Amino acid sequence: MLRLFDIARNAYLSLIWVPPAPAGQMMKGQLTPSRTIPGHTNTVRAVAFFKDGRRAVTGSTDCALQIWDMQTGVSVEEPFKGHKKGVLSVAVSPDDRRIVSGGWDKNVMVWDVERKYMPDPLVKHTDTVNSVCFSPDGKKFASGSDDKTAVLWDVDTSGVIVTLPHSGHVWSVAFSPDSLKLATGTGSGDSIIRVWHTKNAEVLFKINAHRWTIRSVAWLPDGQQLVSASCDRTVKFWNSSNGSQIGQTCIGHNESIVSLAVSSDGSFIATASDDKTVRLWSTETYRQIGQSLEHTAWVPFVAICPNMELLVSANDEKVLLWSIEGVLLPAKIGPRLSSKKSAHLDQRRDARKLDDAPNPQIPQLPQQYISSSEADQAIRQAIHEKLDNAPLRVIDTSTGRLCGQDAQINVFMRSIEYKELSSSMTRGPLQTEPIREAVAKYFSWVMLSHRWESKEPLLHNVQDKDVYTLDPVGSVVKLQNFCKVARDAGHRWAWVDTCCIDQSNNAEVSRSVNSMFIWYHHSALTIVYLSDVPPLSTPGALADSAWSKRSWTFQELLASVIVLFYQADWSLYLDDRSPNHKESVNIMQELQDSTGIDAQALVAFHPGMTGAREKLQWASTRVTTLQEDIAYSLFGIFDIHLPVIYGEKRQNALGRLLQEIIARSGDISALDWVGKPSDFNSCLPADITSYTAPPCTLPSLSEDDIQKSVSTLRDAVAMESASKLCTLLNNLSPPRFANSRLQLPCITFRVTDVRRRPGQDGNKSITYDVKADGLQDLLITTEDRLVQFSPSRPIRQTFLLIRPWHRSDLELPDFDDLESLDSAGVIENVNDWPEPGSPSESHTRDLRLIVRLGQPFGAFLLAQQRGGEYKRIASDNNIIAQVRDAASVDNMMDVRTLEIL
C-alpha cells in the first residue's frame, strides 16, 4: 500500500513540476521554476487563483487579462481586453463567476467569466487603482487608489457603497475572513494600516506600521492576525483586534517588498521584492523558511495556490510556477516551519493526494478532533476580546442584579449557550469566527443615555439587590424601565452610569471616563431617555430637550452606532419603529438643524484629532453640572486618555485637554479663539465657549492670482533672501506643548508703537493703534491695559505681533516613497532617482511662498515676561495683520520658536 502511495504521489508531482536536481547540486545552485508560462506581451503585474486552484487569472501592463490552466500552462480563454492602460491588480470572486481588475487608467472593471463580454468601466477613482479584492462572503469588493481613497462596491449592482478617505496613496486593500473588516495600507508619507468596519465605514483602529510605503496587507485565515509588507524591506504581523505587533519583524530582503501572499492554512507567507527574490516565512517563528527564489528582474507579485502545491510569480512578461514542496525539502531548509505546522502541511497535502488516488484500497487519514481544553481556551480568548471593550460592571436584565465581568463569565459558563457552543466544537479544524459570533451575541450590552436627575440610585443603593424589587419612586422607575426595555429587546446585559460605576473609587472613575466612548461605541444598542419629552410629541421636541444640550450626552450620541430615542412614558419618539434612529431621516435632520452638525457626521463619527477646531465648536454650547466634565466628556471624541482629577479647576481640565491635542497632533487650530485667556496657558481660552464662533477664515488666492503675483515679484524680490526665508521656515520644528508651556514656531514682527485712542474712559475694553516693523498699521481692542510707547518714548518690555507658522504654507509636494516615482510604480536603483528641480523651479516655489506670506493672516499679540518667555494678550476680535510690502523679504526674516506661558 505504501508503494501504491509513492506511485500516486510521483505521478501527481510529475504533472505539476519538474523534479529538482540532486540535493548536492541544489545546494550549489539555485531552484528553478517547475513551469514557465509565456503569453503576455508586457510585464505581468498581478495574478489571482480561482477556488479550484487549477485556474488563475493574470493582469499585465499590456492592458489585458488572461485565464490560464496552471497544470498545462495553456490559456483557457481569449484575453479580456478593456483597460486602456496597464492592469496592476486582479481578484476572483469566491464563486469564481467574476473577476475585478484595476490599473493605470483609473478604472475598475468587473468581468463576467462565463459571458466573456467587456463591461463598462466603473469610474470613481481619479488616479491609478493599485489594489482590488472581493469580500469572502462575495457581497462586496474593494479598490484602493493613488487618489487617497478606498472604495467599497456592491457586487450585484456594481454601485459604490462608501468611499473611505485616506491621507496617503492606498496601495493595498484586504477583507477579513468574516468580511466585516477591511484593512488598507498606504504610502505618501502616511505608512499606516487602517482597519475599517465594512458596515458603518468607521475606522476601528490605525497602526503606524512601517517607516515607508505599505505595499501589501493580508489577513491570516483565522482573522486574528494581519500581516504587512513595506518598502522599508520588512514584514510585520499584527493583532487584528487592537493593532499591537505580534512576534518579531521579518527581515531579509535587500530592497522594497512589493507583494505578499498567505497560505490557505496560515502556516506560512510568501513575499516578492525589488531585490529579485521571492521568500517564504513561517507565521510561527517569523523566520525565513526554504531557499530564496531567484529572478532576473524585480518581482511585482507573488501568489500561493489554494491547495498550497504551487507558488506563482513573474519575470517580466512570463509567469513562473514553483513547487512549494521543492522549496521546503528538508535538504534545502535552513530555519524550518514549526514541527506542528510542517506536519499539518504534510497531512493536508497527503490527504489530498490520497483522495485523488484511483486505488480504493488506500485508506483516508483520520478525522481531526478538538480537545476540550483547546475548545475552552478558544472560547475564553473570545470572551476576553469581547469584554476588553465592555463596561466593568453591568446589570443582568434577567435577574435585575449587578454583575462584574468575572460574574458574567461564570454565568456564561453555566449557561445553555455555552454548552451548545462547546458541544459544537468536537471536530476540527477549529473555527474561531463562530465562537466569536456566539460570544459577542451572549455578552452584548445596552447603554442608557440620559440626563441625571435628583436622587439617582447609586452603586450602594443597588449592590446585592434586585433592581426590579426596589421601591419604584423617583429615578428608580427610570432604571427599572430601562432594564425592562433592554430585556424585551433580547439583551441580557444593561449599563447605566448612575449605579454601574463606583463613584467612591477614583481609579474606577478615571478608567470609566476614559473608556466611556468605547463602551457606547461597542454596545449593541444605546437607549436615549428623554424625560422632558411628553408622549405624542411633535418634531422639534428632541431638539428642545435638555438631553440635547448636555456635554456627556453629546459624546454618547457620537459614539453609539445604534440608537433609539424614548419619550417620558417610554414610548418611541415620533412613534418611529425603525431599528436604528440614526437611520431615520426625520430624526437626524432634526438633530442636524438643532446642533448645526451635518447629519452624516453625527451618524458616522470618527474619534481623533482631525478637525479639532470644528469639534471644539460643536462642544462649545454644551453644559455640564461639574465644571471639569466639560473637558472630560471630550476625551473619547478626541481619542485621548488623560488622568481624571475631580476637584481641579475648569481651566486646568480644559487646558490639559487642549495641550494634549496640540502636543500629539501639531494642529494649532485650537489657538484660534476670542475671549479671556486661561490661567493654564495664555494661548488657550479660559472657557470652551470661546470656540462658539466659527474659526477665522481669510480669503485665499486663486491659482491665477498666485501666478500673476509671482510674475510681478520675480524682478522685485532678492531671490537669495527668498530662498533663505524658505529654508528657515522649512527647518522649523512643529509646535510642542508640555507642562503648560507652548513652544510655538512663528514669524515675528516687533511692535514699535502702541497708542490708546482718545475718548474711551470708563470702557471695559480699550482700542489701541499699533504699529510693528514690516506690518501695516493695526487697531487692537482688548480688556488688558497696555503700556503706551513709541520710538521717541521707548520702554524696556518687548511686544511682538507673530504669525504662527503652518507647514502647509510651504506647499510641500505629496511625495510618495522613492519606489513610486517610477512610472511603473517602482524605482529599482538609486541611479534611477529623478534629478532635483531646476533653479527656476526652486525660485518659483520660493516666490509662491512670498506671495502667500503677503496675504492677510491671523496674528497674536505677545508681551515678553521677565524670564524671557511671552504671554499672549487676548483681544476682543481676531487680529488680522498683513505685511506692508511682500517684496521686502527682509522684514519677514525674524523666524523663531517662542516659549509662551
Side-chain angles (χ1 to χ4, degrees):
M1 184 166 59
L2 185 59
R3 177 164 176 74
L4 286 173
F5 174 78
D6 290 337
I7 294 172
R9 177 180 181 277
N10 293 334
Y12 179 84
L13 293 177
S14 68
L15 289 174
I16 63 169
W17 69 295
V18 176
Q25 180 180 340
M26 291 301 299
M27 292 298 290
K28 297 178 181 179
Q30 299 175 352
L31 286 175
T32 57
S34 60
R35 188 181 299 280
T36 299
I37 303 177
H40 285 286
T41 60
N42 211 326
T43 303
V44 183
R45 295 296 300 268
V47 68
F49 276 98
F50 286 73
K51 186 167 55 179
D52 59 16
R54 177 162 182 156
R55 293 176 299 158
V57 60
T58 54
S60 166
T61 52
D62 64 9
C63 307
L65 284 74
Q66 182 69 64
I67 298 177
W68 306 92
D69 184 321
M70 287 302 194
Q71 292 187 6
T72 65
V74 177
S75 61
V76 177
E77 308 283 354
E78 291 295 317
F80 292 80
K81 296 184 177 179
H83 282 282
K84 297 179 181 179
K85 294 182 179 180
V87 179
L88 302 182
S89 183
V90 295
V92 178
S93 64
D95 60 7
D96 286 353
R97 294 174 52 196
R98 296 180 177 91
I99 298 170
V100 64
S101 58
W104 284 329
D105 61 3
K106 311 175 187 178
N107 294 331
V108 175
M109 304 190 78
V110 182
W111 310 83
D112 189 304
V113 176
E114 295 180 358
R115 298 181 183 177
K116 306 178 183 64
Y117 67 88
M118 186 179 77
D120 293 326
L122 304 181
V123 181
K124 176 63 177 178
H125 290 293
T126 59
D127 209 331
T128 298
V129 178
N130 296 311
S131 179
V132 293
C133 67
F134 279 97
S135 62
D137 63 10
K139 296 179 180 180
K140 305 179 184 72
F141 63 95
S143 56
S145 169
D146 279 352
D147 64 9
K148 301 182 181 181
T149 69
V151 176
L152 288 181
W153 307 80
D154 184 272
V155 167
D156 292 331
T157 65
S158 294
V160 173
I161 298 174
V162 67
T163 299
L164 308 176
H166 293 68
S167 53
H169 298 173
V170 181
W171 281 94
S172 183
V173 291
F175 282 99
S176 62
D178 60 8
S179 302
L180 297 178
K181 300 173 185 176
L182 180 78
T184 57
T186 57
S188 305
D190 192 19
S191 304
I192 289 175
I193 296 174
R194 291 169 174 83
V195 178
W196 306 76
H197 199 297
T198 56
K199 288 187 177 180
N200 57 19
E202 174 200 2
V203 178
L204 299 177
F205 57 86
K206 300 178 183 179
I207 307 173
N208 292 312
H210 293 271
R211 292 184 297 117
W212 298 343
T213 293
I214 299 168
R215 290 296 296 270
S216 189
V217 293
W219 298 78
L220 267 61
D222 63 3
Q224 296 182 4
Q225 293 186 51
L226 275 166
V227 58
S228 59
S230 167
C231 291
D232 66 9
R233 310 172 185 177
T234 66
V235 176
K236 298 180 181 181
F237 292 78
W238 311 94
N239 186 318
S240 63
S241 64
N242 58 25
S244 61
Q245 186 172 356
I246 299 174
Q248 66 187 29
T249 301
C250 300
I251 300 174
H253 282 291
N254 300 319
E255 297 291 344
S256 300
I257 304 174
V258 297
S259 177
L260 71 82
V262 179
S263 66
S264 58
D265 69 348
S267 63
F268 66 96
I269 66 169
T271 54
S273 170
D274 288 355
D275 66 7
K276 305 178 185 179
T277 69
V278 169
R279 303 175 190 233
L280 273 59
W281 311 82
S282 165
T283 58
E284 185 166 302
T285 65
Y286 312 105
R287 300 178 65 189
Q288 184 177 344
I289 52 178
Q291 285 192 330
S292 300
L293 305 181
E294 302 289 340
H295 295 62
T296 60
W298 72 283
V299 189
F301 70 83
V302 64
I304 300 172
C305 180
N307 61 19
M308 299 194 306
E309 300 290 352
L310 292 174
L311 182 145
V312 180
S313 61
N315 237 27
D316 296 327
E317 71 277 2
K318 297 178 181 179
V319 177
L320 306 182
L321 278 59
W322 309 78
S323 164
I324 292 178
E325 187 176 52
V327 178
L328 300 180
L329 279 176
K332 301 191 291 293
I333 293 180
R336 300 183 59 182
L337 285 171
S338 68
S339 59
K340 178 181 176 181
K341 292 196 174 182
S342 180
H344 180 55
L345 181 63
D346 292 340
Q347 185 186 53
R348 288 172 57 94
R349 180 172 59 248
D350 293 345
R352 282 192 302 272
K353 294 174 183 176
L354 286 171
D355 287 341
D356 292 338
N359 194 320
Q361 296 183 0
I362 297 179
Q364 299 295 311
L365 293 176
Q367 173 68 47
Q368 179 183 356
Y369 289 91
I370 302 172
S371 67
S372 59
S373 61
E374 187 178 7
D376 183 69
Q377 182 181 1
I379 293 173
R380 289 185 177 275
Q381 177 63 27
I383 293 173
H384 174 75
E385 292 175 0
K386 180 65 178 178
L387 295 184
D388 193 43
N389 294 316
L392 307 177
R393 189 183 290 107
V394 290
I395 299 172
D396 187 337
T397 61
S398 65
T399 66
R401 293 184 175 274
L402 283 171
C403 286
Q405 291 189 350
D406 288 341
Q408 281 183 277
I409 295 173
N410 290 335
V411 172
F412 174 65
M413 290 301 183
R414 298 192 300 268
S415 68
I416 296 175
E417 289 87 348
Y418 172 76
K419 294 177 181 177
E420 292 177 346
L421 179 60
S422 58
S423 63
S424 68
M425 298 169 56
T426 57
R427 300 196 172 202
L430 181 65
Q431 299 293 325
T432 59
E433 194 54 37
I435 299 174
R436 287 200 201 92
E437 291 176 357
V439 167
K441 182 179 180 180
Y442 182 87
F443 286 94
S444 65
W445 65 91
V446 178
M447 304 285 282
L448 178 65
S449 177
H450 68 122
R451 179 171 62 92
W452 275 51
E453 300 171 71
S454 61
K455 298 182 179 179
E456 292 279 357
L458 302 179
L459 177 65
H460 67 272
N461 302 123
V462 177
Q463 190 80 54
D464 299 324
K465 298 176 183 178
D466 178 353
V467 298
Y468 297 124
T469 63
L470 296 176
D471 190 10
V473 294
S475 295
V476 171
V477 177
K478 173 173 60 176
L479 173 62
Q480 292 170 335
N481 285 329
F482 163 62
C483 291
K484 290 175 183 177
V485 170
R487 181 188 61 194
D488 294 344
H491 299 284
R492 178 74 179 263
W493 313 104
W495 184 92
V496 57
D497 54 356
T498 54
C499 63
C500 290
I501 300 176
D502 185 355
Q503 307 289 342
S504 65
N505 186 325
N506 292 335
E508 182 176 326
V509 170
S510 182
R511 181 176 175 182
S512 299
V513 167
N514 278 287
S515 304
M516 204 80 72
F517 189 97
I518 294 173
W519 294 349
Y520 275 92
H521 180 71
H522 288 278
S523 67
L525 168 67
T526 293
I527 289 176
V528 177
Y529 179 59
L530 308 171
S531 60
D532 54 355
V533 175
L536 305 177
S537 292
T538 57
L542 170 58
D544 294 336
S545 171
W547 178 91
S548 297
K549 300 173 176 61
R550 307 296 293 181
S551 192
W552 280 112
T553 57
F554 179 55
Q555 174 182 249
E556 292 156 11
L557 172 65
L558 293 178
S560 302
V561 176
I562 300 176
V563 176
L564 291 176
F565 292 93
Y566 285 84
Q567 302 172 131
D569 65 345
W570 289 92
S571 61
L572 288 165
Y573 179 59
L574 302 183
D575 197 31
D576 188 322
R577 300 188 178 277
S578 59
N580 184 5
H581 285 171
K582 274 200 168 185
E583 297 177 354
S584 168
V585 175
N586 293 333
I587 292 178
M588 296 314 297
Q589 185 63 49
E590 181 177 346
L591 287 173
Q592 175 176 302
D593 294 341
S594 63
T595 62
I597 304 172
D598 182 75
Q600 184 59 33
L602 294 173
V603 170
F605 175 78
H606 301 306
M609 310 288 184
T610 304
R613 180 58 174 80
E614 182 181 32
K615 292 172 182 174
L616 290 168
Q617 184 183 358
W618 293 349
S620 63
T621 58
R622 302 276 166 165
V623 295
T624 60
T625 301
L626 300 178
Q627 60 177 354
E628 308 94 317
D629 279 342
I630 199 65
Y632 299 164
S633 62
L634 299 178
F635 284 4
I637 290 174
F638 288 101
D639 194 18
I640 282 175
H641 293 263
L642 289 173
V644 174
I645 315 170
Y646 278 109
E648 68 176 328
K649 294 181 180 179
R650 176 185 61 215
Q651 293 187 25
N652 199 71
L654 181 60
R656 288 195 297 120
L657 171 68
L658 298 174
Q659 173 180 265
E660 188 73 3
I661 292 172
I662 295 171
R664 285 179 53 185
S665 69
D667 179 2
I668 60 173
S669 62
L671 307 183
D672 181 0
W673 53 270
V674 172
K676 293 184 177 181
S678 171
D679 293 337
F680 185 87
N681 184 280
S682 63
C683 265
L684 302 179
D687 196 281
I688 199 168
T689 55
S690 293
Y691 292 113
T692 303
C696 177
T697 56
L698 298 171
S700 58
L701 291 176
S702 67
E703 183 60 30
D704 288 343
D705 290 336
I706 292 177
Q707 295 287 357
K708 292 177 182 178
S709 298
V710 166
S711 298
T712 302
L713 290 177
R714 197 172 293 277
D715 296 327
V717 171
M719 291 312 306
E720 183 177 351
S721 296
S723 177
K724 180 180 178 181
L725 176 59
C726 186
T727 300
L728 287 172
L729 294 171
N730 190 35
N731 290 336
L732 280 174
S733 299
R736 297 185 297 276
F737 210 154
N739 301 319
S740 303
R741 291 173 176 260
L742 172 63
Q743 305 287 331
L744 185 64
C746 56
I747 303 175
T748 69
F749 304 88
R750 187 181 182 89
V751 175
T752 58
D753 200 313
V754 173
R755 304 193 186 203
R756 174 174 171 168
R757 290 206 157 189
Q760 300 184 82
D761 294 339
N763 290 357
K764 183 178 180 181
S765 297
I766 304 298
T767 300
Y768 297 88
D769 289 296
V770 178
K771 300 178 184 292
D773 287 336
L775 294 180
Q776 298 180 16
D777 295 347
L778 293 163
L779 289 177
I780 297 178
T781 302
T782 177
E783 292 185 15
D784 288 19
R785 297 304 186 255
L786 303 183
V787 177
Q788 299 186 73
F789 63 91
S790 66
S792 60
R793 295 174 51 195
I795 59 173
R796 297 181 65 181
Q797 187 178 21
T798 298
F799 287 81
L800 298 175
L801 278 164
I802 68 165
R803 175 179 186 143
W805 176 241
H806 300 266
R807 285 187 61 81
S808 59
D809 287 333
L810 284 173
E811 273 190 333
L812 292 173
D814 190 13
F815 289 118
D816 195 0
D817 292 302
L818 300 176
E819 289 74 13
S820 67
L821 295 175
D822 177 52
S823 60
V826 176
I827 289 181
E828 300 174 33
N829 193 301
V830 173
N831 295 327
D832 295 328
W833 292 359
E835 293 295 325
S838 64
S840 62
E841 291 174 332
S842 177
H843 292 166
T844 299
R845 177 202 63 195
D846 296 342
L847 290 174
R848 290 176 66 90
L849 173 62
I850 300 303
V851 169
R852 287 190 301 281
L853 294 179
Q855 301 306 303
F857 62 91
F860 298 163
L861 177 61
L862 305 183
Q864 191 174 34
Q865 307 301 296
R866 289 186 177 181
E869 310 93 340
Y870 287 83
K871 279 194 172 182
R872 178 177 174 180
I873 298 174
S875 58
D876 289 8
N877 306 100
N878 289 309
I879 301 175
I880 308 301
Q882 187 171 10
V883 297
R884 187 177 294 113
D885 180 10
S888 301
V889 177
D890 290 340
N891 290 330
M892 295 182 278
M893 283 293 187
D894 193 356
V895 175
R896 44 180 157 152
T897 296
L898 299 178
E899 183 173 11
I900 304 176
L901 303 178

